[in-house]
PDB file of all heavy atoms in Angstrom:
ATOM      1  N   ARG A 219      88.966 125.926  86.399  1.00  0.00           N
ATOM      2  CA  ARG A 219      87.958 126.869  85.885  1.00  0.00           C
ATOM      3  C   ARG A 219      88.538 128.277  85.796  1.00  0.00           C
ATOM      4  O   ARG A 219      88.304 128.994  84.815  1.00  0.00           O
ATOM      5  CB  ARG A 219      86.735 126.844  86.804  1.00  0.00           C
ATOM      6  CG  ARG A 219      85.577 127.685  86.327  1.00  0.00           C
ATOM      7  CD  ARG A 219      84.456 127.680  87.371  1.00  0.00           C
ATOM      8  NE  ARG A 219      83.740 126.412  87.410  1.00  0.00           N
ATOM      9  CZ  ARG A 219      82.760 126.078  86.574  1.00  0.00           C
ATOM     10  NH1 ARG A 219      82.387 126.927  85.632  1.00  0.00           N
ATOM     11  NH2 ARG A 219      82.160 124.918  86.671  1.00  0.00           N
ATOM     12  N   GLU A 220      89.304 128.661  86.810  1.00  0.00           N
ATOM     13  CA  GLU A 220      89.816 130.034  86.883  1.00  0.00           C
ATOM     14  C   GLU A 220      90.809 130.342  85.754  1.00  0.00           C
ATOM     15  O   GLU A 220      90.733 131.384  85.110  1.00  0.00           O
ATOM     16  CB  GLU A 220      90.506 130.241  88.239  1.00  0.00           C
ATOM     17  CG  GLU A 220      91.138 131.595  88.456  1.00  0.00           C
ATOM     18  CD  GLU A 220      90.109 132.691  88.699  1.00  0.00           C
ATOM     19  OE1 GLU A 220      88.952 132.343  88.984  1.00  0.00           O
ATOM     20  OE2 GLU A 220      90.492 133.879  88.585  1.00  0.00           O
ATOM     21  N   LEU A 221      91.746 129.414  85.511  1.00  0.00           N
ATOM     22  CA  LEU A 221      92.805 129.661  84.521  1.00  0.00           C
ATOM     23  C   LEU A 221      92.549 128.952  83.200  1.00  0.00           C
ATOM     24  O   LEU A 221      93.378 129.046  82.287  1.00  0.00           O
ATOM     25  CB  LEU A 221      94.167 129.217  85.082  1.00  0.00           C
ATOM     26  CG  LEU A 221      94.634 129.886  86.376  1.00  0.00           C
ATOM     27  CD1 LEU A 221      95.994 129.362  86.791  1.00  0.00           C
ATOM     28  CD2 LEU A 221      94.672 131.405  86.210  1.00  0.00           C
ATOM     29  N   GLU A 222      91.420 128.257  83.121  1.00  0.00           N
ATOM     30  CA  GLU A 222      91.085 127.494  81.913  1.00  0.00           C
ATOM     31  C   GLU A 222      92.250 126.579  81.536  1.00  0.00           C
ATOM     32  O   GLU A 222      92.795 126.633  80.425  1.00  0.00           O
ATOM     33  CB  GLU A 222      90.711 128.432  80.762  1.00  0.00           C
ATOM     34  CG  GLU A 222      89.482 129.289  81.064  1.00  0.00           C
ATOM     35  CD  GLU A 222      89.002 130.062  79.836  1.00  0.00           C
ATOM     36  OE1 GLU A 222      89.694 130.044  78.809  1.00  0.00           O
ATOM     37  OE2 GLU A 222      87.916 130.664  79.922  1.00  0.00           O
ATOM     38  N   LEU A 223      92.615 125.736  82.500  1.00  0.00           N
ATOM     39  CA  LEU A 223      93.770 124.868  82.309  1.00  0.00           C
ATOM     40  C   LEU A 223      93.483 123.819  81.239  1.00  0.00           C
ATOM     41  O   LEU A 223      92.435 123.163  81.260  1.00  0.00           O
ATOM     42  CB  LEU A 223      94.118 124.165  83.633  1.00  0.00           C
ATOM     43  CG  LEU A 223      94.535 125.079  84.785  1.00  0.00           C
ATOM     44  CD1 LEU A 223      94.837 124.247  86.020  1.00  0.00           C
ATOM     45  CD2 LEU A 223      95.763 125.905  84.391  1.00  0.00           C
ATOM     46  N   PRO A 224      94.409 123.625  80.311  1.00  0.00           N
ATOM     47  CA  PRO A 224      94.209 122.595  79.282  1.00  0.00           C
ATOM     48  C   PRO A 224      94.467 121.203  79.836  1.00  0.00           C
ATOM     49  O   PRO A 224      95.196 121.035  80.817  1.00  0.00           O
ATOM     50  CB  PRO A 224      95.260 122.969  78.235  1.00  0.00           C
ATOM     51  CG  PRO A 224      96.357 123.586  79.032  1.00  0.00           C
ATOM     52  CD  PRO A 224      95.692 124.329  80.165  1.00  0.00           C
ATOM     53  N   SER A 225      93.870 120.226  79.214  1.00  0.00           N
ATOM     54  CA  SER A 225      94.134 118.841  79.597  1.00  0.00           C
ATOM     55  C   SER A 225      95.332 118.326  78.830  1.00  0.00           C
ATOM     56  O   SER A 225      95.390 118.433  77.605  1.00  0.00           O
ATOM     57  CB  SER A 225      92.901 117.969  79.294  1.00  0.00           C
ATOM     58  OG  SER A 225      93.240 116.606  79.471  1.00  0.00           O
ATOM     59  N   TRP A 226      96.280 117.739  79.555  1.00  0.00           N
ATOM     60  CA  TRP A 226      97.437 117.092  78.926  1.00  0.00           C
ATOM     61  C   TRP A 226      97.247 115.578  78.899  1.00  0.00           C
ATOM     62  O   TRP A 226      98.173 114.832  78.627  1.00  0.00           O
ATOM     63  CB  TRP A 226      98.719 117.432  79.690  1.00  0.00           C
ATOM     64  CG  TRP A 226      99.290 118.771  79.345  1.00  0.00           C
ATOM     65  CD1 TRP A 226      98.606 119.870  78.913  1.00  0.00           C
ATOM     66  CD2 TRP A 226     100.668 119.151  79.386  1.00  0.00           C
ATOM     67  NE1 TRP A 226      99.458 120.911  78.702  1.00  0.00           N
ATOM     68  CE2 TRP A 226     100.740 120.507  78.986  1.00  0.00           C
ATOM     69  CE3 TRP A 226     101.840 118.509  79.735  1.00  0.00           C
ATOM     70  CZ2 TRP A 226     101.936 121.209  78.925  1.00  0.00           C
ATOM     71  CZ3 TRP A 226     103.040 119.200  79.678  1.00  0.00           C
ATOM     72  CH2 TRP A 226     103.086 120.533  79.275  1.00  0.00           C
ATOM     73  N   GLY A 227      96.032 115.157  79.224  1.00  0.00           N
ATOM     74  CA  GLY A 227      95.764 113.721  79.252  1.00  0.00           C
ATOM     75  C   GLY A 227      94.719 113.334  78.229  1.00  0.00           C
ATOM     76  O   GLY A 227      94.439 114.072  77.282  1.00  0.00           O
ATOM     77  N   ASN A 228      94.147 112.164  78.433  1.00  0.00           N
ATOM     78  CA  ASN A 228      93.130 111.660  77.511  1.00  0.00           C
ATOM     79  C   ASN A 228      91.781 112.317  77.778  1.00  0.00           C
ATOM     80  O   ASN A 228      91.382 112.491  78.925  1.00  0.00           O
ATOM     81  CB  ASN A 228      92.992 110.146  77.659  1.00  0.00           C
ATOM     82  CG  ASN A 228      94.229 109.425  77.189  1.00  0.00           C
ATOM     83  OD1 ASN A 228      94.890 109.878  76.266  1.00  0.00           O
ATOM     84  ND2 ASN A 228      94.551 108.311  77.825  1.00  0.00           N
ATOM     85  N   SER A 229      91.089 112.646  76.704  1.00  0.00           N
ATOM     86  CA  SER A 229      89.713 113.143  76.792  1.00  0.00           C
ATOM     87  C   SER A 229      88.861 112.280  75.860  1.00  0.00           C
ATOM     88  O   SER A 229      89.235 112.076  74.704  1.00  0.00           O
ATOM     89  CB  SER A 229      89.625 114.617  76.374  1.00  0.00           C
ATOM     90  OG  SER A 229      90.386 115.433  77.236  1.00  0.00           O
ATOM     91  N   ASN A 230      87.751 111.781  76.366  1.00  0.00           N
ATOM     92  CA  ASN A 230      86.897 110.890  75.576  1.00  0.00           C
ATOM     93  C   ASN A 230      85.445 111.339  75.666  1.00  0.00           C
ATOM     94  O   ASN A 230      84.950 111.620  76.761  1.00  0.00           O
ATOM     95  CB  ASN A 230      87.011 109.448  76.086  1.00  0.00           C
ATOM     96  CG  ASN A 230      88.451 108.972  76.167  1.00  0.00           C
ATOM     97  OD1 ASN A 230      89.003 108.843  77.245  1.00  0.00           O
ATOM     98  ND2 ASN A 230      89.066 108.732  75.027  1.00  0.00           N
ATOM     99  N   GLY A 231      84.793 111.400  74.527  1.00  0.00           N
ATOM    100  CA  GLY A 231      83.370 111.746  74.511  1.00  0.00           C
ATOM    101  C   GLY A 231      82.527 110.585  74.025  1.00  0.00           C
ATOM    102  O   GLY A 231      83.050 109.638  73.433  1.00  0.00           O
ATOM    103  N   TRP A 232      81.244 110.649  74.269  1.00  0.00           N
ATOM    104  CA  TRP A 232      80.368 109.551  73.841  1.00  0.00           C
ATOM    105  C   TRP A 232      79.182 110.070  73.010  1.00  0.00           C
ATOM    106  O   TRP A 232      78.383 109.287  72.524  1.00  0.00           O
ATOM    107  CB  TRP A 232      79.839 108.781  75.048  1.00  0.00           C
ATOM    108  CG  TRP A 232      79.152 109.646  76.077  1.00  0.00           C
ATOM    109  CD1 TRP A 232      79.749 110.273  77.121  1.00  0.00           C
ATOM    110  CD2 TRP A 232      77.768 109.977  76.145  1.00  0.00           C
ATOM    111  NE1 TRP A 232      78.841 110.980  77.855  1.00  0.00           N
ATOM    112  CE2 TRP A 232      77.598 110.811  77.273  1.00  0.00           C
ATOM    113  CE3 TRP A 232      76.650 109.653  75.384  1.00  0.00           C
ATOM    114  CZ2 TRP A 232      76.361 111.324  77.652  1.00  0.00           C
ATOM    115  CZ3 TRP A 232      75.412 110.162  75.761  1.00  0.00           C
ATOM    116  CH2 TRP A 232      75.289 110.994  76.886  1.00  0.00           C
ATOM    117  N   LYS A 233      79.082 111.388  72.867  1.00  0.00           N
ATOM    118  CA  LYS A 233      78.011 111.929  72.031  1.00  0.00           C
ATOM    119  C   LYS A 233      78.523 113.205  71.350  1.00  0.00           C
ATOM    120  O   LYS A 233      79.520 113.806  71.783  1.00  0.00           O
ATOM    121  CB  LYS A 233      76.769 112.236  72.848  1.00  0.00           C
ATOM    122  CG  LYS A 233      76.891 113.387  73.818  1.00  0.00           C
ATOM    123  CD  LYS A 233      75.554 113.620  74.504  1.00  0.00           C
ATOM    124  CE  LYS A 233      75.607 114.825  75.431  1.00  0.00           C
ATOM    125  NZ  LYS A 233      74.319 115.073  76.093  1.00  0.00           N
ATOM    126  N   ARG A 234      77.835 113.594  70.305  1.00  0.00           N
ATOM    127  CA  ARG A 234      78.251 114.782  69.566  1.00  0.00           C
ATOM    128  C   ARG A 234      77.867 116.034  70.352  1.00  0.00           C
ATOM    129  O   ARG A 234      76.695 116.236  70.683  1.00  0.00           O
ATOM    130  CB  ARG A 234      77.581 114.796  68.188  1.00  0.00           C
ATOM    131  CG  ARG A 234      78.091 115.887  67.272  1.00  0.00           C
ATOM    132  CD  ARG A 234      77.482 115.764  65.882  1.00  0.00           C
ATOM    133  NE  ARG A 234      78.032 116.742  64.978  1.00  0.00           N
ATOM    134  CZ  ARG A 234      79.189 116.624  64.357  1.00  0.00           C
ATOM    135  NH1 ARG A 234      79.917 115.531  64.552  1.00  0.00           N
ATOM    136  NH2 ARG A 234      79.635 117.563  63.540  1.00  0.00           N
ATOM    137  N   GLU A 235      78.860 116.865  70.632  1.00  0.00           N
ATOM    138  CA  GLU A 235      78.611 118.110  71.365  1.00  0.00           C
ATOM    139  C   GLU A 235      79.375 119.233  70.673  1.00  0.00           C
ATOM    140  O   GLU A 235      80.490 119.033  70.197  1.00  0.00           O
ATOM    141  CB  GLU A 235      79.075 117.995  72.813  1.00  0.00           C
ATOM    142  CG  GLU A 235      78.299 117.000  73.633  1.00  0.00           C
ATOM    143  CD  GLU A 235      78.804 116.912  75.067  1.00  0.00           C
ATOM    144  OE1 GLU A 235      79.844 116.279  75.276  1.00  0.00           O
ATOM    145  OE2 GLU A 235      78.167 117.463  75.964  1.00  0.00           O
ATOM    146  N   GLU A 236      78.782 120.379  70.632  1.00  0.00           N
ATOM    147  CA  GLU A 236      79.439 121.530  70.011  1.00  0.00           C
ATOM    148  C   GLU A 236      80.271 122.251  71.069  1.00  0.00           C
ATOM    149  O   GLU A 236      79.725 122.869  71.994  1.00  0.00           O
ATOM    150  CB  GLU A 236      78.385 122.470  69.421  1.00  0.00           C
ATOM    151  CG  GLU A 236      78.962 123.472  68.438  1.00  0.00           C
ATOM    152  CD  GLU A 236      77.874 124.191  67.639  1.00  0.00           C
ATOM    153  OE1 GLU A 236      76.690 123.825  67.767  1.00  0.00           O
ATOM    154  OE2 GLU A 236      78.229 125.122  66.904  1.00  0.00           O
ATOM    155  N   ILE A 237      81.584 122.135  70.945  1.00  0.00           N
ATOM    156  CA  ILE A 237      82.499 122.741  71.912  1.00  0.00           C
ATOM    157  C   ILE A 237      83.167 123.942  71.245  1.00  0.00           C
ATOM    158  O   ILE A 237      84.071 123.782  70.403  1.00  0.00           O
ATOM    159  CB  ILE A 237      83.575 121.740  72.384  1.00  0.00           C
ATOM    160  CG1 ILE A 237      82.937 120.430  72.841  1.00  0.00           C
ATOM    161  CG2 ILE A 237      84.431 122.345  73.478  1.00  0.00           C
ATOM    162  CD1 ILE A 237      82.101 120.531  74.071  1.00  0.00           C
ATOM    163  N   LYS A 238      82.717 125.129  71.576  1.00  0.00           N
ATOM    164  CA  LYS A 238      83.283 126.338  70.976  1.00  0.00           C
ATOM    165  C   LYS A 238      84.094 127.164  71.970  1.00  0.00           C
ATOM    166  O   LYS A 238      84.811 128.080  71.571  1.00  0.00           O
ATOM    167  CB  LYS A 238      82.163 127.205  70.395  1.00  0.00           C
ATOM    168  CG  LYS A 238      81.474 126.585  69.184  1.00  0.00           C
ATOM    169  CD  LYS A 238      80.481 127.553  68.592  1.00  0.00           C
ATOM    170  CE  LYS A 238      79.873 126.979  67.314  1.00  0.00           C
ATOM    171  NZ  LYS A 238      78.869 127.906  66.717  1.00  0.00           N
ATOM    172  N   SER A 239      83.951 126.863  73.221  1.00  0.00           N
ATOM    173  CA  SER A 239      84.685 127.631  74.237  1.00  0.00           C
ATOM    174  C   SER A 239      85.085 126.689  75.366  1.00  0.00           C
ATOM    175  O   SER A 239      84.632 125.540  75.446  1.00  0.00           O
ATOM    176  CB  SER A 239      83.801 128.757  74.793  1.00  0.00           C
ATOM    177  OG  SER A 239      82.693 128.192  75.492  1.00  0.00           O
ATOM    178  N   TYR A 240      85.956 127.223  76.228  1.00  0.00           N
ATOM    179  CA  TYR A 240      86.375 126.403  77.379  1.00  0.00           C
ATOM    180  C   TYR A 240      85.182 126.103  78.284  1.00  0.00           C
ATOM    181  O   TYR A 240      85.068 125.011  78.836  1.00  0.00           O
ATOM    182  CB  TYR A 240      87.462 127.127  78.166  1.00  0.00           C
ATOM    183  CG  TYR A 240      88.182 126.233  79.144  1.00  0.00           C
ATOM    184  CD1 TYR A 240      89.200 125.398  78.722  1.00  0.00           C
ATOM    185  CD2 TYR A 240      87.819 126.217  80.483  1.00  0.00           C
ATOM    186  CE1 TYR A 240      89.855 124.565  79.617  1.00  0.00           C
ATOM    187  CE2 TYR A 240      88.467 125.397  81.383  1.00  0.00           C
ATOM    188  CZ  TYR A 240      89.496 124.561  80.946  1.00  0.00           C
ATOM    189  OH  TYR A 240      90.131 123.734  81.837  1.00  0.00           O
ATOM    190  N   GLN A 241      84.290 127.084  78.394  1.00  0.00           N
ATOM    191  CA  GLN A 241      83.104 126.872  79.219  1.00  0.00           C
ATOM    192  C   GLN A 241      82.264 125.731  78.655  1.00  0.00           C
ATOM    193  O   GLN A 241      81.675 124.952  79.411  1.00  0.00           O
ATOM    194  CB  GLN A 241      82.280 128.167  79.288  1.00  0.00           C
ATOM    195  CG  GLN A 241      81.112 128.121  80.267  1.00  0.00           C
ATOM    196  CD  GLN A 241      81.566 127.869  81.706  1.00  0.00           C
ATOM    197  OE1 GLN A 241      82.535 128.456  82.169  1.00  0.00           O
ATOM    198  NE2 GLN A 241      80.859 126.978  82.396  1.00  0.00           N
ATOM    199  N   ASP A 242      82.201 125.640  77.321  1.00  0.00           N
ATOM    200  CA  ASP A 242      81.467 124.532  76.706  1.00  0.00           C
ATOM    201  C   ASP A 242      82.064 123.187  77.134  1.00  0.00           C
ATOM    202  O   ASP A 242      81.342 122.236  77.387  1.00  0.00           O
ATOM    203  CB  ASP A 242      81.512 124.642  75.182  1.00  0.00           C
ATOM    204  CG  ASP A 242      80.661 125.790  74.669  1.00  0.00           C
ATOM    205  OD1 ASP A 242      79.765 126.245  75.421  1.00  0.00           O
ATOM    206  OD2 ASP A 242      80.893 126.239  73.534  1.00  0.00           O
ATOM    207  N   LYS A 243      83.394 123.151  77.170  1.00  0.00           N
ATOM    208  CA  LYS A 243      84.039 121.891  77.571  1.00  0.00           C
ATOM    209  C   LYS A 243      83.751 121.562  79.036  1.00  0.00           C
ATOM    210  O   LYS A 243      83.516 120.407  79.395  1.00  0.00           O
ATOM    211  CB  LYS A 243      85.558 121.988  77.351  1.00  0.00           C
ATOM    212  CG  LYS A 243      86.277 120.673  77.632  1.00  0.00           C
ATOM    213  CD  LYS A 243      87.742 120.720  77.262  1.00  0.00           C
ATOM    214  CE  LYS A 243      88.390 119.356  77.506  1.00  0.00           C
ATOM    215  NZ  LYS A 243      89.823 119.353  77.154  1.00  0.00           N
ATOM    216  N   LEU A 244      83.761 122.603  79.885  1.00  0.00           N
ATOM    217  CA  LEU A 244      83.449 122.359  81.298  1.00  0.00           C
ATOM    218  C   LEU A 244      82.031 121.814  81.470  1.00  0.00           C
ATOM    219  O   LEU A 244      81.775 121.005  82.354  1.00  0.00           O
ATOM    220  CB  LEU A 244      83.604 123.664  82.097  1.00  0.00           C
ATOM    221  CG  LEU A 244      85.015 124.243  82.225  1.00  0.00           C
ATOM    222  CD1 LEU A 244      84.982 125.512  83.059  1.00  0.00           C
ATOM    223  CD2 LEU A 244      85.961 123.229  82.850  1.00  0.00           C
ATOM    224  N   ASN A 245      81.114 122.274  80.631  1.00  0.00           N
ATOM    225  CA  ASN A 245      79.723 121.838  80.756  1.00  0.00           C
ATOM    226  C   ASN A 245      79.425 120.552  79.996  1.00  0.00           C
ATOM    227  O   ASN A 245      78.321 120.027  80.077  1.00  0.00           O
ATOM    228  CB  ASN A 245      78.790 122.939  80.222  1.00  0.00           C
ATOM    229  CG  ASN A 245      78.883 124.205  81.054  1.00  0.00           C
ATOM    230  OD1 ASN A 245      79.220 124.166  82.231  1.00  0.00           O
ATOM    231  ND2 ASN A 245      78.601 125.351  80.436  1.00  0.00           N
ATOM    232  N   SER A 246      80.403 120.062  79.254  1.00  0.00           N
ATOM    233  CA  SER A 246      80.150 118.928  78.367  1.00  0.00           C
ATOM    234  C   SER A 246      80.157 117.600  79.123  1.00  0.00           C
ATOM    235  O   SER A 246      80.492 117.544  80.311  1.00  0.00           O
ATOM    236  CB  SER A 246      81.213 118.893  77.272  1.00  0.00           C
ATOM    237  OG  SER A 246      82.444 118.467  77.825  1.00  0.00           O
ATOM    238  N   GLU A 247      79.845 116.544  78.379  1.00  0.00           N
ATOM    239  CA  GLU A 247      79.880 115.190  78.939  1.00  0.00           C
ATOM    240  C   GLU A 247      81.185 114.478  78.587  1.00  0.00           C
ATOM    241  O   GLU A 247      81.270 113.253  78.671  1.00  0.00           O
ATOM    242  CB  GLU A 247      78.691 114.378  78.401  1.00  0.00           C
ATOM    243  CG  GLU A 247      77.330 114.877  78.838  1.00  0.00           C
ATOM    244  CD  GLU A 247      77.079 114.691  80.337  1.00  0.00           C
ATOM    245  OE1 GLU A 247      77.817 113.912  80.965  1.00  0.00           O
ATOM    246  OE2 GLU A 247      76.156 115.336  80.866  1.00  0.00           O
ATOM    247  N   ILE A 248      82.191 115.241  78.186  1.00  0.00           N
ATOM    248  CA  ILE A 248      83.498 114.645  77.889  1.00  0.00           C
ATOM    249  C   ILE A 248      84.124 114.134  79.181  1.00  0.00           C
ATOM    250  O   ILE A 248      84.078 114.803  80.217  1.00  0.00           O
ATOM    251  CB  ILE A 248      84.419 115.700  77.221  1.00  0.00           C
ATOM    252  CG1 ILE A 248      83.858 116.085  75.855  1.00  0.00           C
ATOM    253  CG2 ILE A 248      85.842 115.169  77.094  1.00  0.00           C
ATOM    254  CD1 ILE A 248      84.614 117.223  75.193  1.00  0.00           C
ATOM    255  N   TYR A 249      84.713 112.941  79.099  1.00  0.00           N
ATOM    256  CA  TYR A 249      85.389 112.366  80.264  1.00  0.00           C
ATOM    257  C   TYR A 249      86.870 112.738  80.201  1.00  0.00           C
ATOM    258  O   TYR A 249      87.582 112.327  79.289  1.00  0.00           O
ATOM    259  CB  TYR A 249      85.236 110.841  80.265  1.00  0.00           C
ATOM    260  CG  TYR A 249      83.797 110.375  80.277  1.00  0.00           C
ATOM    261  CD1 TYR A 249      83.338 109.449  79.351  1.00  0.00           C
ATOM    262  CD2 TYR A 249      82.902 110.858  81.218  1.00  0.00           C
ATOM    263  CE1 TYR A 249      82.021 109.013  79.371  1.00  0.00           C
ATOM    264  CE2 TYR A 249      81.585 110.442  81.241  1.00  0.00           C
ATOM    265  CZ  TYR A 249      81.148 109.523  80.315  1.00  0.00           C
ATOM    266  OH  TYR A 249      79.853 109.103  80.326  1.00  0.00           O
ATOM    267  N   TRP A 250      87.341 113.486  81.192  1.00  0.00           N
ATOM    268  CA  TRP A 250      88.755 113.925  81.152  1.00  0.00           C
ATOM    269  C   TRP A 250      89.349 114.138  82.538  1.00  0.00           C
ATOM    270  O   TRP A 250      90.460 114.631  82.668  1.00  0.00           O
ATOM    271  CB  TRP A 250      88.912 115.185  80.310  1.00  0.00           C
ATOM    272  CG  TRP A 250      88.018 116.368  80.665  1.00  0.00           C
ATOM    273  CD1 TRP A 250      86.666 116.358  80.749  1.00  0.00           C
ATOM    274  CD2 TRP A 250      88.421 117.711  80.957  1.00  0.00           C
ATOM    275  NE1 TRP A 250      86.185 117.603  81.073  1.00  0.00           N
ATOM    276  CE2 TRP A 250      87.243 118.458  81.184  1.00  0.00           C
ATOM    277  CE3 TRP A 250      89.642 118.355  81.016  1.00  0.00           C
ATOM    278  CZ2 TRP A 250      87.264 119.824  81.497  1.00  0.00           C
ATOM    279  CZ3 TRP A 250      89.664 119.719  81.318  1.00  0.00           C
ATOM    280  CH2 TRP A 250      88.491 120.436  81.553  1.00  0.00           C
ATOM    281  N   LEU A 251      88.637 113.751  83.594  1.00  0.00           N
ATOM    282  CA  LEU A 251      89.175 113.907  84.948  1.00  0.00           C
ATOM    283  C   LEU A 251      89.114 112.587  85.711  1.00  0.00           C
ATOM    284  O   LEU A 251      88.245 111.750  85.466  1.00  0.00           O
ATOM    285  CB  LEU A 251      88.391 114.966  85.721  1.00  0.00           C
ATOM    286  CG  LEU A 251      88.496 116.388  85.169  1.00  0.00           C
ATOM    287  CD1 LEU A 251      87.216 116.742  84.440  1.00  0.00           C
ATOM    288  CD2 LEU A 251      88.754 117.381  86.299  1.00  0.00           C
ATOM    289  N   GLN A 252      90.038 112.444  86.644  1.00  0.00           N
ATOM    290  CA  GLN A 252      90.049 111.274  87.525  1.00  0.00           C
ATOM    291  C   GLN A 252      89.513 111.702  88.896  1.00  0.00           C
ATOM    292  O   GLN A 252      89.624 112.866  89.275  1.00  0.00           O
ATOM    293  CB  GLN A 252      91.470 110.715  87.678  1.00  0.00           C
ATOM    294  CG  GLN A 252      92.144 110.388  86.356  1.00  0.00           C
ATOM    295  CD  GLN A 252      92.817 111.587  85.723  1.00  0.00           C
ATOM    296  OE1 GLN A 252      93.551 112.307  86.393  1.00  0.00           O
ATOM    297  NE2 GLN A 252      92.583 111.810  84.437  1.00  0.00           N
ATOM    298  N   TYR A 253      88.948 110.729  89.615  1.00  0.00           N
ATOM    299  CA  TYR A 253      88.376 111.066  90.915  1.00  0.00           C
ATOM    300  C   TYR A 253      88.616 109.908  91.889  1.00  0.00           C
ATOM    301  O   TYR A 253      88.275 108.762  91.612  1.00  0.00           O
ATOM    302  CB  TYR A 253      86.870 111.313  90.775  1.00  0.00           C
ATOM    303  CG  TYR A 253      86.283 112.114  91.920  1.00  0.00           C
ATOM    304  CD1 TYR A 253      86.212 113.498  91.860  1.00  0.00           C
ATOM    305  CD2 TYR A 253      85.816 111.482  93.073  1.00  0.00           C
ATOM    306  CE1 TYR A 253      85.693 114.237  92.912  1.00  0.00           C
ATOM    307  CE2 TYR A 253      85.300 112.217  94.131  1.00  0.00           C
ATOM    308  CZ  TYR A 253      85.244 113.599  94.032  1.00  0.00           C
ATOM    309  OH  TYR A 253      84.727 114.334  95.091  1.00  0.00           O
ATOM    310  N   TRP A 254      89.214 110.233  93.038  1.00  0.00           N
ATOM    311  CA  TRP A 254      89.498 109.230  94.071  1.00  0.00           C
ATOM    312  C   TRP A 254      88.882 109.677  95.392  1.00  0.00           C
ATOM    313  O   TRP A 254      88.813 110.876  95.684  1.00  0.00           O
ATOM    314  CB  TRP A 254      91.009 109.067  94.262  1.00  0.00           C
ATOM    315  CG  TRP A 254      91.686 108.314  93.157  1.00  0.00           C
ATOM    316  CD1 TRP A 254      92.097 108.821  91.956  1.00  0.00           C
ATOM    317  CD2 TRP A 254      92.029 106.934  93.147  1.00  0.00           C
ATOM    318  NE1 TRP A 254      92.667 107.837  91.203  1.00  0.00           N
ATOM    319  CE2 TRP A 254      92.650 106.669  91.899  1.00  0.00           C
ATOM    320  CE3 TRP A 254      91.881 105.889  94.059  1.00  0.00           C
ATOM    321  CZ2 TRP A 254      93.112 105.401  91.556  1.00  0.00           C
ATOM    322  CZ3 TRP A 254      92.354 104.631  93.710  1.00  0.00           C
ATOM    323  CH2 TRP A 254      92.951 104.388  92.482  1.00  0.00           C
ATOM    324  N   VAL A 255      88.445 108.701  96.153  1.00  0.00           N
ATOM    325  CA  VAL A 255      87.947 108.987  97.502  1.00  0.00           C
ATOM    326  C   VAL A 255      88.635 108.051  98.493  1.00  0.00           C
ATOM    327  O   VAL A 255      89.096 106.969  98.127  1.00  0.00           O
ATOM    328  CB  VAL A 255      86.412 108.791  97.600  1.00  0.00           C
ATOM    329  CG1 VAL A 255      85.692 109.847  96.787  1.00  0.00           C
ATOM    330  CG2 VAL A 255      85.999 107.394  97.172  1.00  0.00           C
TER     331      VAL A 255
END
Side-chain angles (χ1 to χ4, degrees):
R219 185 185 287 278
E220 178 74 15
L221 301 181
E222 299 189 352
L223 297 180
S225 171
W226 279 28
N228 293 327
S229 298
N230 307 107
W232 54 271
K233 69 177 183 179
R234 188 175 184 81
E235 294 180 283
E236 196 168 354
I237 309 293
K238 292 186 175 179
S239 65
Y240 194 81
Q241 187 61 44
D242 289 340
K243 185 173 183 180
L244 293 181
N245 296 334
S246 73
E247 295 292 344
I248 294 174
Y249 302 129
W250 53 305
L251 295 104
Q252 305 85 48
Y253 200 91
W254 286 83
V255 292

